Amino acid sequence: MDLLQSSYAPDDASSPGEAADDSSPDSSPLRLPSKSAAPAVDDTALALSAAASGSRPLDPSLHLVAFNPTADQLWAPVLGPQHPHAPISSASGNRNHKLGHVEDAAVLPFLFDEQYNTFHRFGYASDPSGLHIVGDAQPQEANPDTVYNLAPSEHKRRRLHAKQEDTLDEPMPPEAKNPASEEWILHNKQSPWAGRREGPPAELTDEQRQYAEAHAAKKAEKEARAEGKGEKTEVVVKTTFHGKEERDYQGRSWITPPKDAKATNDHCYIPKRCVHEWVGHTKGVSAIRFFPKYGHLLLSASMDCKIKIWDVLESRTCMRTYMGHSKAVRDISFSNDGTKFLSAGYDRNIQYWDTETGQVISTFSTGKVPYVVKLNPDEDKQHILLAGMSDKKIVQWDMKSGQITQEYDQHLGAVNTITFVDNNRRFVTSSDDKSLRVWEFGIPVVIKYISEPHMHSMPSIALHPNSNWLAAQSLDNQILIYSTKERFQLNKKKRFAGHIVAGYACQVNFSSDGRFVMSGDGEGSCWFWDWKSCRRFKTLKCHNGVCIGCEWHPLETSKVATCGWDGVIKYW
C-alpha cells in the first residue's frame, strides 16, 4: 500500500501537513486518474478546414474531401467571381437561370402541349410534378380540366360565356334598344328570331343551282333507300355473249353438251400440272361450279359483281357474262339439267337465271344477305328454292308463285351451308353458331342437333359420292367426317388435317369415285388426301392468295378446277 501511495502521490506536495491529512483515515478514498482508450487524432485537417471554411469553393477535380463542406461551398460557382449583389444565402448558389434554379424534366410532347394550350386557354396549368397549379387563374375543382378532357357541352358553355362578356364590353348602340330594329335582333342572342329576319331572297347562280339540284337528288335517293330497305331493288340486268354464235349449223344451243361426252376411266387420279388459266374477273373469285353431269362448261361467281361461264373442252374461252348484282356475288348453284342457275349476292338479292340467254327469270329477297342457295335435287321439286340467310333463317320459296312457303328458324348465327341427304328427304345446315342441324324437308323442326364445346364453325360441307358420309370443313384447320345415317355420328377414325383454313370458307370436295378428298387453304394451295388412310397425298401451289374453291371434273377423272382471291381460275 505504501508503494502504491508513493507511486500515485503528487510530485509537488505543498507541505508535510497536507500529505498527512490526505493519508488520514478521515480523508476521501483513493481516486485513480482517468485515461482514454481512443487513438490519437490528427487535428491538422480540422485546422486546415477551419482555415478554408471561408467562401473558397471546392475543387471539382478532387476525388477525396478531407472535411465537411458547407452548403455555400457546395453551391458556389465553379469559375468566375461571386456576383457582387447576390444575396448571401445557401440558395444563392443554386441558380442556373436569372429567375432561379431550373431543373431538366422529361415531359411527353402530348402532356406538354396539353398544359401549354390549357395555360393559354384557361390561364392555369399544372407543373411537371403534377402537385402545384401555375398561373394567375386558379381552377375551382381539385382536379382541374384541361383543353383535352373537357366535355363538348363545357366547351360550348365557355364559348357562349366568352361571347357574352365580349358583348357586355361593347357599348350597345341606341338603336339596339328597339325590338323592331335589326340591331336589337343581332345583339339579343336569346331571341328565337336571331339571324332569321326575312328579306328578299337572293338569286342563285347557275353553279349554285346545279349544286343544289344534285344535293337534293342525292338526299332524295338516300331517303328512298332508307325507306325501301328490305324491298326489291331494281337493278339493271345485262348480259354479254362472247362466243362465235349462240347456235351452230344444226340449230343446237351453245350450252348443249357434246354427244361423245362420257367418263374415260372409273378411277380418279391426282392432277400434276396446270393446263389452262381463265383470266377475266377483275376481283377475287368466290365460287365455281361445273355444268351438271357433263362438265363441259364452268360457271364462276366473283366479287366484281359478275358471273361468267367458261368453255372447258374446246375453245376454253369465256362464253357469256351475267351482270345483275350491284355487289359481290356470294354463291351460285346449277339446276339439275344446267339450263338455269341461282346466284346470291351481297346486294341481298337472289336471282334465277337462264343459262343460255342470260335473262333473269325471277328475283327473290328478304332484305337480308343470302349466304347459300340451293334447289331441291328432286326432279319434281326443282321449283323449290332454299336459301341460308344472314338473319339465322333458312327461307324456302316456291319459284312458281314467288311466295315464301316455309322458314326454318332455329340457328343462332348466319347460315353457311345447305346439304341434302337421305334421298333428299332431309338436309343438313351449318352455321356461325358452331353447330350442325338436321331438318326434315318441309318441316321446320330440328330432328338432330349436333353441338360440342370443341366444335368450330363449318363454312363448307360436301357429300361423299356414296351418300353415306359428310365432309365438313372446320375452322380449326381440319376436315371432320359425319355419318348421314340416323344418328349423324362423328367418325373419329377419319380426320384430314395439315392445311390452314382458319378464317376462310375454303371449299371441300370429293373426287367422283370417292377415293380422294380435296380442299383449298388460306395460303393458296390445294390439298389432296386419301379417303381410306387419311394421309396427305399431294399439295399443289395454285394461287397467290386464298384458294377458296375447288371442283373435280365429273367426267375427266384426272382434271380439277380451282379458284382464288387473285381473280384467276386454273384447270389442272
Side-chain angles (χ1 to χ4, degrees), residues 235-535:
V235 181
V236 179
V237 178
K238 297 180 182 178
T239 181
T240 306
F241 183 71
H242 306 285
K244 293 182 180 179
E245 51 189 3
E246 297 191 19
R247 296 187 177 274
D248 60 4
Y249 68 98
Q250 291 182 341
R252 294 177 298 185
S253 172
W254 62 274
I255 67 168
T256 304
K259 293 183 177 181
D260 57 348
K262 61 180 180 179
T264 57
N265 199 338
D266 293 338
H267 286 277
C268 294
Y269 301 94
I270 303 296
K272 297 181 179 179
R273 61 187 179 87
C274 180
V275 296
H276 189 72
E277 291 185 6
W278 287 289
V279 180
H281 288 292
T282 58
K283 292 184 179 180
V285 181
S286 54
I288 52 174
R289 301 286 184 269
F290 274 114
F291 195 89
K293 299 179 182 179
Y294 299 98
H296 64 290
L297 297 174
L298 179 67
L299 189 69
S300 64
S302 172
M303 300 177 190
D304 59 1
C305 313
K306 297 178 182 178
I307 304 168
K308 292 179 180 287
I309 193 165
W310 314 80
D311 185 19
V312 177
L313 298 180
E314 296 178 359
S315 63
R316 291 183 176 173
T317 58
C318 180
M319 298 300 293
R320 186 179 283 279
T321 301
Y322 308 88
M323 295 167 285
H325 290 280
S326 59
K327 292 185 179 179
V329 184
R330 164 81 185 203
D331 190 31
I332 47 177
S333 178
F334 269 116
S335 61
N336 285 353
D337 56 1
T339 57
K340 299 175 181 61
F341 68 90
L342 289 166
S343 66
Y346 283 98
D347 57 356
R348 301 184 174 89
N349 288 333
I350 301 171
Q351 293 181 338
Y352 191 44
W353 299 81
D354 187 299
T355 309
E356 180 182 357
T357 62
Q359 300 299 317
V360 174
I361 301 173
S362 53
T363 303
F364 309 94
S365 177
T366 63
K368 303 296 180 182
V369 177
Y371 283 170
V372 56
V373 286
K374 277 287 178 68
L375 289 173
N376 191 306
D378 287 339
E379 291 295 338
D380 58 340
K381 298 177 181 176
Q382 282 284 284
H383 61 283
I384 296 178
L385 159 66
L386 286 178
M389 314 300 288
S390 61
D391 62 347
K392 316 170 191 177
K393 296 180 181 178
I394 300 114
V395 184
Q396 178 178 316
W397 274 280
D398 185 348
M399 291 191 292
K400 292 181 178 179
S401 63
Q403 301 296 320
I404 295 176
T405 58
Q406 193 61 268
E407 282 190 356
Y408 306 84
D409 186 9
Q410 292 287 326
H411 276 293
L412 304 177
V415 182
N416 292 324
T417 64
I418 299 174
T419 309
F420 282 89
V421 296
D422 194 14
N423 295 325
N424 307 325
R425 290 180 298 179
R426 300 172 179 171
F427 62 92
V428 182
T429 60
S430 66
S431 168
D432 286 344
D433 60 6
K434 305 178 184 179
S435 69
L436 294 178
R437 296 173 196 252
V438 185
W439 315 75
E440 288 277 359
F441 180 76
I443 303 174
V445 178
V446 175
I447 63 173
K448 182 68 175 179
Y449 170 60
I450 305 171
S451 180
E452 298 292 340
H454 58 79
M455 286 177 59
H456 287 69
S457 181
M458 299 176 183
S460 176
I461 292 180
L463 181 66
H464 193 275
N466 63 14
S467 301
N468 292 332
W469 304 98
L470 286 175
Q473 181 83 267
S474 180
L475 287 187
D476 57 349
N477 301 326
Q478 61 180 344
I479 298 173
L480 303 177
I481 305 300
Y482 289 88
S483 170
T484 59
K485 302 300 181 184
E486 290 294 328
R487 301 185 64 183
F488 288 89
Q489 283 185 325
L490 173 66
N491 188 341
K492 297 182 180 179
K493 295 182 179 180
K494 287 192 180 295
R495 174 179 168 273
F496 304 91
H499 57 322
I500 305 296
V501 294
Y504 302 103
C506 297
Q507 182 184 359
V508 61
N509 218 324
F510 287 97
S511 61
S512 55
D513 61 355
R515 293 174 58 225
F516 299 107
V517 181
M518 65 184 300
S519 169
D521 77 344
E523 298 176 350
S525 300
C526 187
W527 290 63
F528 297 88
W529 294 271
D530 183 65
W531 168 252
K532 286 187 177 180
S533 65
C534 298
R535 294 181 179 177

